[in-house]
Amino acid sequence: MPFDLDRTTHHFTKTDSGGVQTVVADDPRDVNQVALIRHHLQQEVERFRRGDFTDPAAIHGNGMPGLAVLRDSAGKIEIGYETTADGARITYASSAVEIVSALHAWFDAQVRDHGTHATHGAPPSAK
C-alpha cells in the first residue's frame, strides 16, 4: 500500500449489485494520506476494469475468496471512482449473481485480512 495503514481505514459496504470500497484518512486534515489514497485507488480502478487484480493478490494471496471470478469478469463489472473529503471510493456493480457473490466474498476476505484497518459498512463521514 502506498499509504500508511496505521493512518487510514478501509470500509467495505456490500450492496445488492456489488459494493462500495471506501478508503479514508483517519485524520481528514492529513492531506498527504488523502492524496496517496486517491492516487492508489485511481490506479486500482484502471487495473480492475481490465481484470487485473494483481495488487490485492500480492497482499492477500492468489487464493483470496472471489478473486478468480473477478479476474475473469473484465468488462462485466461496472467500476467507478470518486473522491471523498477524506479519501476516495470505488463502486462495483454487476447484474450477474456470481460476480456479486464474488465481490462480497472478496470484501469479507479483505476485512478479515486488514484487521483493525478495515471494517464492514460505510465510513461515519458517509452516513
Side-chain angles (χ1 to χ4, degrees):
M1 296 279 167
F3 47 84
D4 187 339
L5 285 175
D6 290 327
R7 296 166 58 192
T8 59
T9 304
H10 287 70
H11 299 271
F12 295 91
T13 308
K14 296 176 189 177
T15 65
D16 291 342
S17 63
V20 180
Q21 174 184 0
T22 308
V23 182
V24 298
D26 295 336
D27 178 355
R29 297 167 297 175
D30 189 340
V31 295
N32 185 50
Q33 291 304 309
V34 171
L36 291 169
I37 290 166
R38 290 175 177 168
H39 184 257
H40 178 65
L41 292 189
Q42 284 174 326
Q43 290 181 325
E44 292 291 67
V45 165
E46 292 173 20
R47 289 184 195 98
F48 293 168
R49 285 178 178 156
R50 295 190 308 267
D52 179 354
F53 287 81
T54 306
D55 272 359
I59 295 168
H60 304 282
N62 280 318
M64 185 178 195
L67 194 57
V69 171
L70 297 177
R71 283 183 170 148
D72 291 339
S73 299
K76 299 176 188 170
I77 308 171
E78 292 179 38
I79 303 174
Y81 168 86
E82 98 182 84
T83 62
T84 64
D86 47 3
R89 74 173 54 101
I90 301 173
T91 57
Y92 306 86
S94 176
S95 58
V97 173
E98 178 182 290
I99 294 172
V100 172
S101 294
L103 283 164
H104 290 179
W106 186 58
F107 275 19
D108 289 342
Q110 290 194 71
V111 170
R112 275 192 310 276
D113 287 358
H114 282 293
T116 60
H117 303 291
T119 185
H120 286 288
S125 60
K127 294 181 181 175

